[in-house]
Amino acid sequence: MTLQQLKAAQKARIKTLPTDIELTTKLIEQGFSLSSEVALAHRAPFNGPLAFYLHGTKVCIPADIAKQINVELV
């Protein structure tokens, strides 16, 4: 399952990040590290960005990047 597939308020733990080192570095700087718990806050219409609750804050990332992050439900 990927971050992009989460439903609203569904919690998950990050299992893998994208293989692109530059992209992964940016995600880690935003708090998307392995084993972090995330929950989908909301998604923009028309396949727009997704907002996640992560480490007590809300972070938005594009849907195409959310597809590259694998998670497991908690």
Side-chain angles (χ1 to χ4, degrees):
M1 167 175 240
T2 68
L3 270 184
Q4 197 263 342
Q5 296 172 309
L6 285 180
K7 296 177 182 169
Q10 198 171 27
K11 291 183 179 180
R13 183 170 289 121
I14 296 173
K15 289 176 54 183
T16 64
L17 294 169
T19 55
D20 181 315
I21 299 297
E22 188 174 324
L23 176 59
T24 298
T25 301
K26 289 179 183 177
L27 288 168
I28 290 171
E29 288 172 353
Q30 291 181 308
F32 289 91
S33 57
L34 296 178
S35 299
S36 293
E37 282 194 21
V38 296
L40 179 64
H42 56 87
R43 62 180 72 230
F46 308 111
N47 206 24
L50 301 145
F52 297 95
Y53 293 113
L54 178 68
H55 302 295
T57 189
K58 197 182 288 185
V59 181
C60 293
I61 60 173
D64 63 325
I65 293 175
K67 284 182 188 175
Q68 300 177 50
I69 301 172
N70 291 311
V71 296
E72 63 183 2
L73 296 177
V74 292

